[in-house]
Amino acid sequence: MQHYVLELLSLMAIFSFAIVSPGADLAMVIRQSLVHGRRAAIITSFGIGVSLMFHVTYTILGLGLIISKSILLFNIIKWCGVAYLVYIGVQALRAGEASVGPAEATEADTERRQSRIKAFGLGFMANALNPKAVFFFLSIFSAVVSHETPGLVKFGYGFVMAACLIAWFVGVSFFMTTPRIRAAFSRASKWINRASGLVFIAFGLKLAAAKAS
């Protein structure tokens, strides 16, 4: 039992830096918070967390190793991710000024603005279509987790990591939907949309330059 606790702590020590580092996921949650409100941002956060479990699952099952060794599979995933990020970026650039409502919208407001499925899907796809996550989880699981550790325990590690990731982004969602932040956004929504669009496109171009290693 103590061995498993040490493995989990070692994983979290590495993963904590990945959680807080800026990336497409963080940009996605920030924009969801500002444009669509707290509820949409929280649902998107859960989409990102579930996507992390997707990465963890195929890594544990050994599919991650297959993807990492296949240039074709890597490139298919990579270019799907590039297209997705650039598409989101272009949509943000074309959005113009956003109409900012209450941080906690009513049920009708939420449905009119963005469906739960779309909010969840944005988070899931932004994370799932990132082939660099394959190498990240392969490397930390290979370096930290013993081959003798049962698969169920490894899934438990992944669940804890996903829960921490969701908690982080939910915290970001609450912070970005405070009255002061939303008031600032309402004054500069056009420029923030443009900036977030450029950020998504930049992440897409950065992913396009990535190579399998």
mmCIF file of all heavy atoms in Angstrom, residues 24-68:
data_model
loop_
_atom_site.group_PDB
_atom_site.id
_atom_site.type_symbol
_atom_site.label_atom_id
_atom_site.label_comp_id
_atom_site.label_asym_id
_atom_site.label_seq_id
_atom_site.Cartn_x
_atom_site.Cartn_y
_atom_site.Cartn_z
ATOM 1 N N ALA A 24 -3.711 24.813 -24.599
ATOM 2 C CA ALA A 24 -4.996 24.963 -25.278
ATOM 3 C C ALA A 24 -6.166 24.708 -24.324
ATOM 4 O O ALA A 24 -7.210 25.355 -24.439
ATOM 5 C CB ALA A 24 -5.061 24.015 -26.466
ATOM 6 N N ASP A 25 -6.009 23.776 -23.385
ATOM 7 C CA ASP A 25 -7.076 23.475 -22.422
ATOM 8 C C ASP A 25 -7.408 24.703 -21.575
ATOM 9 O O ASP A 25 -8.578 25.042 -21.365
ATOM 10 C CB ASP A 25 -6.666 22.321 -21.505
ATOM 11 C CG ASP A 25 -6.542 21.007 -22.250
ATOM 12 O OD1 ASP A 25 -7.028 20.939 -23.391
ATOM 13 O OD2 ASP A 25 -5.962 20.067 -21.696
ATOM 14 N N LEU A 26 -6.355 25.349 -21.063
ATOM 15 C CA LEU A 26 -6.560 26.535 -20.226
ATOM 16 C C LEU A 26 -7.207 27.658 -21.032
ATOM 17 O O LEU A 26 -8.139 28.326 -20.551
ATOM 18 C CB LEU A 26 -5.223 27.003 -19.646
ATOM 19 C CG LEU A 26 -5.279 28.246 -18.748
ATOM 20 C CD1 LEU A 26 -6.174 27.997 -17.546
ATOM 21 C CD2 LEU A 26 -3.884 28.648 -18.294
ATOM 22 N N ALA A 27 -6.726 27.862 -22.260
ATOM 23 C CA ALA A 27 -7.311 28.894 -23.112
ATOM 24 C C ALA A 27 -8.785 28.600 -23.376
ATOM 25 O O ALA A 27 -9.625 29.514 -23.402
ATOM 26 C CB ALA A 27 -6.535 28.978 -24.427
ATOM 27 N N MET A 28 -9.099 27.323 -23.554
ATOM 28 C CA MET A 28 -10.479 26.928 -23.806
ATOM 29 C C MET A 28 -11.378 27.247 -22.616
ATOM 30 O O MET A 28 -12.469 27.818 -22.770
ATOM 31 C CB MET A 28 -10.540 25.425 -24.105
ATOM 32 C CG MET A 28 -11.935 24.869 -24.328
ATOM 33 S SD MET A 28 -12.638 25.418 -25.875
ATOM 34 C CE MET A 28 -11.604 24.485 -27.023
ATOM 35 N N VAL A 29 -10.943 26.900 -21.418
ATOM 36 C CA VAL A 29 -11.756 27.138 -20.223
ATOM 37 C C VAL A 29 -11.922 28.632 -19.970
ATOM 38 O O VAL A 29 -13.015 29.090 -19.602
ATOM 39 C CB VAL A 29 -11.122 26.448 -18.993
ATOM 40 C CG1 VAL A 29 -11.856 26.844 -17.713
ATOM 41 C CG2 VAL A 29 -11.169 24.935 -19.155
ATOM 42 N N ILE A 30 -10.871 29.398 -20.175
ATOM 43 C CA ILE A 30 -10.958 30.849 -19.975
ATOM 44 C C ILE A 30 -11.975 31.461 -20.933
ATOM 45 O O ILE A 30 -12.827 32.272 -20.540
ATOM 46 C CB ILE A 30 -9.576 31.506 -20.156
ATOM 47 C CG1 ILE A 30 -8.656 31.126 -18.991
ATOM 48 C CG2 ILE A 30 -9.711 33.035 -20.248
ATOM 49 C CD1 ILE A 30 -7.237 31.626 -19.136
ATOM 50 N N ARG A 31 -11.905 31.065 -22.191
ATOM 51 C CA ARG A 31 -12.852 31.633 -23.170
ATOM 52 C C ARG A 31 -14.281 31.177 -22.876
ATOM 53 O O ARG A 31 -15.226 31.977 -22.986
ATOM 54 C CB ARG A 31 -12.468 31.238 -24.593
ATOM 55 C CG ARG A 31 -13.343 31.948 -25.634
ATOM 56 C CD ARG A 31 -12.848 31.799 -27.047
ATOM 57 N NE ARG A 31 -13.602 32.682 -27.914
ATOM 58 C CZ ARG A 31 -14.790 32.393 -28.439
ATOM 59 N NH1 ARG A 31 -15.335 31.218 -28.193
ATOM 60 N NH2 ARG A 31 -15.428 33.259 -29.193
ATOM 61 N N GLN A 32 -14.451 29.921 -22.504
ATOM 62 C CA GLN A 32 -15.782 29.433 -22.146
ATOM 63 C C GLN A 32 -16.346 30.236 -20.971
ATOM 64 O O GLN A 32 -17.521 30.591 -20.958
ATOM 65 C CB GLN A 32 -15.718 27.951 -21.773
ATOM 66 C CG GLN A 32 -15.569 27.012 -22.964
ATOM 67 C CD GLN A 32 -16.822 26.905 -23.779
ATOM 68 O OE1 GLN A 32 -17.030 27.676 -24.723
ATOM 69 N NE2 GLN A 32 -17.684 25.967 -23.435
ATOM 70 N N SER A 33 -15.495 30.508 -19.995
ATOM 71 C CA SER A 33 -15.927 31.268 -18.819
ATOM 72 C C SER A 33 -16.410 32.661 -19.199
ATOM 73 O O SER A 33 -17.463 33.125 -18.757
ATOM 74 C CB SER A 33 -14.776 31.382 -17.816
ATOM 75 O OG SER A 33 -14.338 30.116 -17.383
ATOM 76 N N LEU A 34 -15.627 33.328 -20.043
ATOM 77 C CA LEU A 34 -15.920 34.712 -20.378
ATOM 78 C C LEU A 34 -17.068 34.852 -21.370
ATOM 79 O O LEU A 34 -17.868 35.779 -21.268
ATOM 80 C CB LEU A 34 -14.664 35.384 -20.951
ATOM 81 C CG LEU A 34 -13.483 35.514 -19.983
ATOM 82 C CD1 LEU A 34 -12.273 36.079 -20.695
ATOM 83 C CD2 LEU A 34 -13.854 36.396 -18.787
ATOM 84 N N VAL A 35 -17.153 33.945 -22.318
ATOM 85 C CA VAL A 35 -18.153 34.071 -23.375
ATOM 86 C C VAL A 35 -19.464 33.380 -23.022
ATOM 87 O O VAL A 35 -20.542 33.921 -23.261
ATOM 88 C CB VAL A 35 -17.603 33.517 -24.710
ATOM 89 C CG1 VAL A 35 -18.667 33.570 -25.806
ATOM 90 C CG2 VAL A 35 -16.362 34.300 -25.136
ATOM 91 N N HIS A 36 -19.388 32.188 -22.445
ATOM 92 C CA HIS A 36 -20.592 31.389 -22.226
ATOM 93 C C HIS A 36 -20.977 31.229 -20.756
ATOM 94 O O HIS A 36 -22.012 30.624 -20.460
ATOM 95 C CB HIS A 36 -20.430 30.009 -22.863
ATOM 96 C CG HIS A 36 -20.269 30.076 -24.352
ATOM 97 N ND1 HIS A 36 -21.300 30.416 -25.202
ATOM 98 C CD2 HIS A 36 -19.177 29.868 -25.143
ATOM 99 C CE1 HIS A 36 -20.868 30.405 -26.447
ATOM 100 N NE2 HIS A 36 -19.590 30.082 -26.448
ATOM 101 N N GLY A 37 -20.138 31.694 -19.845
ATOM 102 C CA GLY A 37 -20.505 31.665 -18.446
ATOM 103 C C GLY A 37 -19.944 30.495 -17.663
ATOM 104 O O GLY A 37 -19.329 29.579 -18.206
ATOM 105 N N ARG A 38 -20.189 30.539 -16.373
ATOM 106 C CA ARG A 38 -19.596 29.579 -15.440
ATOM 107 C C ARG A 38 -20.048 28.144 -15.707
ATOM 108 O O ARG A 38 -19.237 27.222 -15.685
ATOM 109 C CB ARG A 38 -19.961 29.980 -14.011
ATOM 110 C CG ARG A 38 -19.393 29.065 -12.937
ATOM 111 C CD ARG A 38 -19.739 29.600 -11.559
ATOM 112 N NE ARG A 38 -19.141 30.906 -11.354
ATOM 113 C CZ ARG A 38 -19.495 31.739 -10.373
ATOM 114 N NH1 ARG A 38 -20.467 31.398 -9.542
ATOM 115 N NH2 ARG A 38 -18.902 32.908 -10.242
ATOM 116 N N ARG A 39 -21.322 27.965 -15.957
ATOM 117 C CA ARG A 39 -21.830 26.606 -16.129
ATOM 118 C C ARG A 39 -21.190 25.915 -17.332
ATOM 119 O O ARG A 39 -20.760 24.755 -17.244
ATOM 120 C CB ARG A 39 -23.345 26.653 -16.296
ATOM 121 C CG ARG A 39 -24.011 25.297 -16.234
ATOM 122 C CD ARG A 39 -25.513 25.466 -16.178
ATOM 123 N NE ARG A 39 -26.182 24.196 -15.943
ATOM 124 C CZ ARG A 39 -27.486 24.086 -15.749
ATOM 125 N NH1 ARG A 39 -28.244 25.164 -15.748
ATOM 126 N NH2 ARG A 39 -28.022 22.912 -15.542
ATOM 127 N N ALA A 40 -21.103 26.621 -18.448
ATOM 128 C CA ALA A 40 -20.490 26.048 -19.645
ATOM 129 C C ALA A 40 -19.021 25.737 -19.404
ATOM 130 O O ALA A 40 -18.503 24.701 -19.842
ATOM 131 C CB ALA A 40 -20.632 27.014 -20.831
ATOM 132 N N ALA A 41 -18.333 26.636 -18.690
ATOM 133 C CA ALA A 41 -16.907 26.428 -18.418
ATOM 134 C C ALA A 41 -16.684 25.207 -17.530
ATOM 135 O O ALA A 41 -15.741 24.442 -17.732
ATOM 136 C CB ALA A 41 -16.315 27.672 -17.755
ATOM 137 N N ILE A 42 -17.557 25.005 -16.546
ATOM 138 C CA ILE A 42 -17.431 23.852 -15.659
ATOM 139 C C ILE A 42 -17.682 22.555 -16.434
ATOM 140 O O ILE A 42 -16.962 21.564 -16.261
ATOM 141 C CB ILE A 42 -18.402 23.973 -14.472
ATOM 142 C CG1 ILE A 42 -17.938 25.103 -13.537
ATOM 143 C CG2 ILE A 42 -18.499 22.655 -13.697
ATOM 144 C CD1 ILE A 42 -18.899 25.408 -12.409
ATOM 145 N N ILE A 43 -18.685 22.566 -17.310
ATOM 146 C CA ILE A 43 -18.949 21.370 -18.125
ATOM 147 C C ILE A 43 -17.756 21.084 -19.038
ATOM 148 O O ILE A 43 -17.361 19.925 -19.215
ATOM 149 C CB ILE A 43 -20.238 21.563 -18.945
ATOM 150 C CG1 ILE A 43 -21.449 21.645 -18.016
ATOM 151 C CG2 ILE A 43 -20.421 20.409 -19.936
ATOM 152 C CD1 ILE A 43 -22.746 22.021 -18.714
ATOM 153 N N THR A 44 -17.177 22.134 -19.606
ATOM 154 C CA THR A 44 -15.984 21.969 -20.437
ATOM 155 C C THR A 44 -14.835 21.394 -19.616
ATOM 156 O O THR A 44 -14.064 20.561 -20.108
ATOM 157 C CB THR A 44 -15.572 23.318 -21.048
ATOM 158 O OG1 THR A 44 -16.621 23.788 -21.912
ATOM 159 C CG2 THR A 44 -14.285 23.192 -21.861
ATOM 160 N N SER A 45 -14.714 21.816 -18.366
ATOM 161 C CA SER A 45 -13.672 21.294 -17.478
ATOM 162 C C SER A 45 -13.824 19.794 -17.276
ATOM 163 O O SER A 45 -12.832 19.050 -17.264
ATOM 164 C CB SER A 45 -13.732 22.009 -16.123
ATOM 165 O OG SER A 45 -13.547 23.405 -16.261
ATOM 166 N N PHE A 46 -15.063 19.336 -17.131
ATOM 167 C CA PHE A 46 -15.300 17.897 -16.992
ATOM 168 C C PHE A 46 -14.966 17.162 -18.292
ATOM 169 O O PHE A 46 -14.470 16.030 -18.262
ATOM 170 C CB PHE A 46 -16.752 17.628 -16.580
ATOM 171 C CG PHE A 46 -16.974 17.710 -15.095
ATOM 172 C CD1 PHE A 46 -17.258 18.919 -14.487
ATOM 173 C CD2 PHE A 46 -16.877 16.575 -14.303
ATOM 174 C CE1 PHE A 46 -17.448 19.009 -13.113
ATOM 175 C CE2 PHE A 46 -17.070 16.648 -12.926
ATOM 176 C CZ PHE A 46 -17.345 17.865 -12.329
ATOM 177 N N GLY A 47 -15.224 17.800 -19.426
ATOM 178 C CA GLY A 47 -14.846 17.207 -20.703
ATOM 179 C C GLY A 47 -13.352 16.992 -20.799
ATOM 180 O O GLY A 47 -12.881 15.941 -21.267
ATOM 181 N N ILE A 48 -12.582 17.953 -20.325
ATOM 182 C CA ILE A 48 -11.122 17.841 -20.324
ATOM 183 C C ILE A 48 -10.674 16.710 -19.402
ATOM 184 O O ILE A 48 -9.785 15.925 -19.736
ATOM 185 C CB ILE A 48 -10.481 19.178 -19.894
ATOM 186 C CG1 ILE A 48 -10.779 20.263 -20.942
ATOM 187 C CG2 ILE A 48 -8.974 19.025 -19.706
ATOM 188 C CD1 ILE A 48 -10.379 21.654 -20.509
ATOM 189 N N GLY A 49 -11.310 16.614 -18.235
ATOM 190 C CA GLY A 49 -10.949 15.563 -17.287
ATOM 191 C C GLY A 49 -11.256 14.173 -17.809
ATOM 192 O O GLY A 49 -10.443 13.248 -17.667
ATOM 193 N N VAL A 50 -12.414 14.015 -18.450
ATOM 194 C CA VAL A 50 -12.767 12.719 -19.026
ATOM 195 C C VAL A 50 -11.806 12.368 -20.156
ATOM 196 O O VAL A 50 -11.411 11.209 -20.325
ATOM 197 C CB VAL A 50 -14.224 12.731 -19.543
ATOM 198 C CG1 VAL A 50 -14.540 11.457 -20.313
ATOM 199 C CG2 VAL A 50 -15.192 12.879 -18.369
ATOM 200 N N SER A 51 -11.401 13.370 -20.925
ATOM 201 C CA SER A 51 -10.436 13.140 -22.004
ATOM 202 C C SER A 51 -9.096 12.666 -21.449
ATOM 203 O O SER A 51 -8.419 11.829 -22.064
ATOM 204 C CB SER A 51 -10.239 14.421 -22.816
ATOM 205 O OG SER A 51 -9.401 14.200 -23.923
ATOM 206 N N LEU A 52 -8.717 13.179 -20.283
ATOM 207 C CA LEU A 52 -7.479 12.714 -19.649
ATOM 208 C C LEU A 52 -7.587 11.227 -19.328
ATOM 209 O O LEU A 52 -6.626 10.478 -19.522
ATOM 210 C CB LEU A 52 -7.201 13.523 -18.382
ATOM 211 C CG LEU A 52 -5.900 13.193 -17.642
ATOM 212 C CD1 LEU A 52 -5.298 14.466 -17.034
ATOM 213 C CD2 LEU A 52 -6.136 12.171 -16.533
ATOM 214 N N MET A 53 -8.748 10.784 -18.844
ATOM 215 C CA MET A 53 -8.927 9.357 -18.574
ATOM 216 C C MET A 53 -8.841 8.537 -19.861
ATOM 217 O O MET A 53 -8.387 7.397 -19.847
ATOM 218 C CB MET A 53 -10.278 9.120 -17.895
ATOM 219 C CG MET A 53 -10.313 9.500 -16.425
ATOM 220 S SD MET A 53 -9.056 8.621 -15.445
ATOM 221 C CE MET A 53 -9.525 6.914 -15.683
ATOM 222 N N PHE A 54 -9.274 9.133 -20.963
ATOM 223 C CA PHE A 54 -9.138 8.484 -22.275
ATOM 224 C C PHE A 54 -7.657 8.237 -22.580
ATOM 225 O O PHE A 54 -7.266 7.137 -22.977
ATOM 226 C CB PHE A 54 -9.784 9.381 -23.331
ATOM 227 C CG PHE A 54 -9.433 9.036 -24.751
ATOM 228 C CD1 PHE A 54 -9.915 7.877 -25.340
ATOM 229 C CD2 PHE A 54 -8.636 9.881 -25.498
ATOM 230 C CE1 PHE A 54 -9.597 7.567 -26.662
ATOM 231 C CE2 PHE A 54 -8.316 9.584 -26.810
ATOM 232 C CZ PHE A 54 -8.797 8.420 -27.399
ATOM 233 N N HIS A 55 -6.818 9.258 -22.362
ATOM 234 C CA HIS A 55 -5.376 9.108 -22.587
ATOM 235 C C HIS A 55 -4.777 8.060 -21.645
ATOM 236 O O HIS A 55 -3.963 7.229 -22.060
ATOM 237 C CB HIS A 55 -4.661 10.443 -22.368
ATOM 238 C CG HIS A 55 -4.910 11.443 -23.458
ATOM 239 N ND1 HIS A 55 -4.612 11.204 -24.776
ATOM 240 C CD2 HIS A 55 -5.415 12.703 -23.417
ATOM 241 C CE1 HIS A 55 -4.922 12.270 -25.501
ATOM 242 N NE2 HIS A 55 -5.414 13.184 -24.697
ATOM 243 N N VAL A 56 -5.170 8.128 -20.385
ATOM 244 C CA VAL A 56 -4.643 7.185 -19.399
ATOM 245 C C VAL A 56 -5.035 5.755 -19.754
ATOM 246 O O VAL A 56 -4.227 4.826 -19.654
ATOM 247 C CB VAL A 56 -5.150 7.542 -17.984
ATOM 248 C CG1 VAL A 56 -4.824 6.429 -16.997
ATOM 249 C CG2 VAL A 56 -4.528 8.848 -17.510
ATOM 250 N N THR A 57 -6.280 5.567 -20.202
ATOM 251 C CA THR A 57 -6.780 4.219 -20.510
ATOM 252 C C THR A 57 -5.984 3.564 -21.624
ATOM 253 O O THR A 57 -5.516 2.424 -21.483
ATOM 254 C CB THR A 57 -8.272 4.278 -20.900
ATOM 255 O OG1 THR A 57 -9.027 4.775 -19.785
ATOM 256 C CG2 THR A 57 -8.780 2.891 -21.268
ATOM 257 N N TYR A 58 -5.806 4.273 -22.751
ATOM 258 C CA TYR A 58 -5.084 3.610 -23.838
ATOM 259 C C TYR A 58 -3.597 3.478 -23.531
ATOM 260 O O TYR A 58 -2.926 2.603 -24.070
ATOM 261 C CB TYR A 58 -5.328 4.282 -25.191
ATOM 262 C CG TYR A 58 -4.778 5.670 -25.388
ATOM 263 C CD1 TYR A 58 -3.408 5.931 -25.382
ATOM 264 C CD2 TYR A 58 -5.630 6.739 -25.647
ATOM 265 C CE1 TYR A 58 -2.914 7.197 -25.602
ATOM 266 C CE2 TYR A 58 -5.144 8.011 -25.871
ATOM 267 C CZ TYR A 58 -3.785 8.232 -25.854
ATOM 268 O OH TYR A 58 -3.292 9.494 -26.068
ATOM 269 N N THR A 59 -3.078 4.355 -22.662
ATOM 270 C CA THR A 59 -1.678 4.200 -22.244
ATOM 271 C C THR A 59 -1.515 2.914 -21.445
ATOM 272 O O THR A 59 -0.576 2.138 -21.671
ATOM 273 C CB THR A 59 -1.230 5.407 -21.396
ATOM 274 O OG1 THR A 59 -1.283 6.591 -22.195
ATOM 275 C CG2 THR A 59 0.196 5.217 -20.884
ATOM 276 N N ILE A 60 -2.426 2.671 -20.495
ATOM 277 C CA ILE A 60 -2.363 1.464 -19.674
ATOM 278 C C ILE A 60 -2.575 0.208 -20.519
ATOM 279 O O ILE A 60 -1.927 -0.825 -20.306
ATOM 280 C CB ILE A 60 -3.415 1.544 -18.551
ATOM 281 C CG1 ILE A 60 -3.061 2.669 -17.571
ATOM 282 C CG2 ILE A 60 -3.504 0.212 -17.795
ATOM 283 C CD1 ILE A 60 -4.118 2.935 -16.520
ATOM 284 N N LEU A 61 -3.460 0.293 -21.506
ATOM 285 C CA LEU A 61 -3.750 -0.862 -22.349
ATOM 286 C C LEU A 61 -2.647 -1.143 -23.371
ATOM 287 O O LEU A 61 -2.666 -2.165 -24.051
ATOM 288 C CB LEU A 61 -5.079 -0.652 -23.089
ATOM 289 C CG LEU A 61 -6.335 -0.593 -22.218
ATOM 290 C CD1 LEU A 61 -7.565 -0.305 -23.064
ATOM 291 C CD2 LEU A 61 -6.517 -1.900 -21.441
ATOM 292 N N GLY A 62 -1.696 -0.228 -23.488
ATOM 293 C CA GLY A 62 -0.579 -0.440 -24.403
ATOM 294 C C GLY A 62 -0.763 0.184 -25.772
ATOM 295 O O GLY A 62 0.144 0.159 -26.603
ATOM 296 N N LEU A 63 -1.950 0.785 -26.029
ATOM 297 C CA LEU A 63 -2.183 1.397 -27.331
ATOM 298 C C LEU A 63 -1.337 2.651 -27.516
ATOM 299 O O LEU A 63 -0.980 3.004 -28.646
ATOM 300 C CB LEU A 63 -3.675 1.746 -27.489
ATOM 301 C CG LEU A 63 -4.644 0.564 -27.437
ATOM 302 C CD1 LEU A 63 -6.076 1.052 -27.564
ATOM 303 C CD2 LEU A 63 -4.324 -0.421 -28.548
ATOM 304 N N GLY A 64 -1.022 3.310 -26.404
ATOM 305 C CA GLY A 64 -0.195 4.510 -26.488
ATOM 306 C C GLY A 64 1.162 4.205 -27.080
ATOM 307 O O GLY A 64 1.726 4.995 -27.850
ATOM 308 N N LEU A 65 1.711 3.050 -26.724
ATOM 309 C CA LEU A 65 3.013 2.656 -27.264
ATOM 310 C C LEU A 65 2.919 2.422 -28.768
ATOM 311 O O LEU A 65 3.823 2.796 -29.528
ATOM 312 C CB LEU A 65 3.496 1.384 -26.568
ATOM 313 C CG LEU A 65 4.897 0.884 -26.948
ATOM 314 C CD1 LEU A 65 5.943 1.940 -26.638
ATOM 315 C CD2 LEU A 65 5.213 -0.414 -26.230
ATOM 316 N N ILE A 66 1.810 1.835 -29.210
ATOM 317 C CA ILE A 66 1.611 1.596 -30.642
ATOM 318 C C ILE A 66 1.538 2.922 -31.398
ATOM 319 O O ILE A 66 2.168 3.103 -32.442
ATOM 320 C CB ILE A 66 0.328 0.779 -30.883
ATOM 321 C CG1 ILE A 66 0.470 -0.612 -30.249
ATOM 322 C CG2 ILE A 66 0.019 0.673 -32.374
ATOM 323 C CD1 ILE A 66 -0.801 -1.432 -30.310
ATOM 324 N N ILE A 67 0.770 3.875 -30.842
ATOM 325 C CA ILE A 67 0.638 5.185 -31.485
ATOM 326 C C ILE A 67 1.983 5.894 -31.537
ATOM 327 O O ILE A 67 2.348 6.509 -32.537
ATOM 328 C CB ILE A 67 -0.397 6.048 -30.734
ATOM 329 C CG1 ILE A 67 -1.792 5.415 -30.849
ATOM 330 C CG2 ILE A 67 -0.422 7.474 -31.288
ATOM 331 C CD1 ILE A 67 -2.844 6.088 -30.003
ATOM 332 N N SER A 68 2.754 5.806 -30.444
ATOM 333 C CA SER A 68 4.033 6.499 -30.384
ATOM 334 C C SER A 68 5.037 5.943 -31.382
ATOM 335 O O SER A 68 5.960 6.638 -31.801
ATOM 336 C CB SER A 68 4.609 6.416 -28.962
ATOM 337 O OG SER A 68 5.027 5.094 -28.655
#
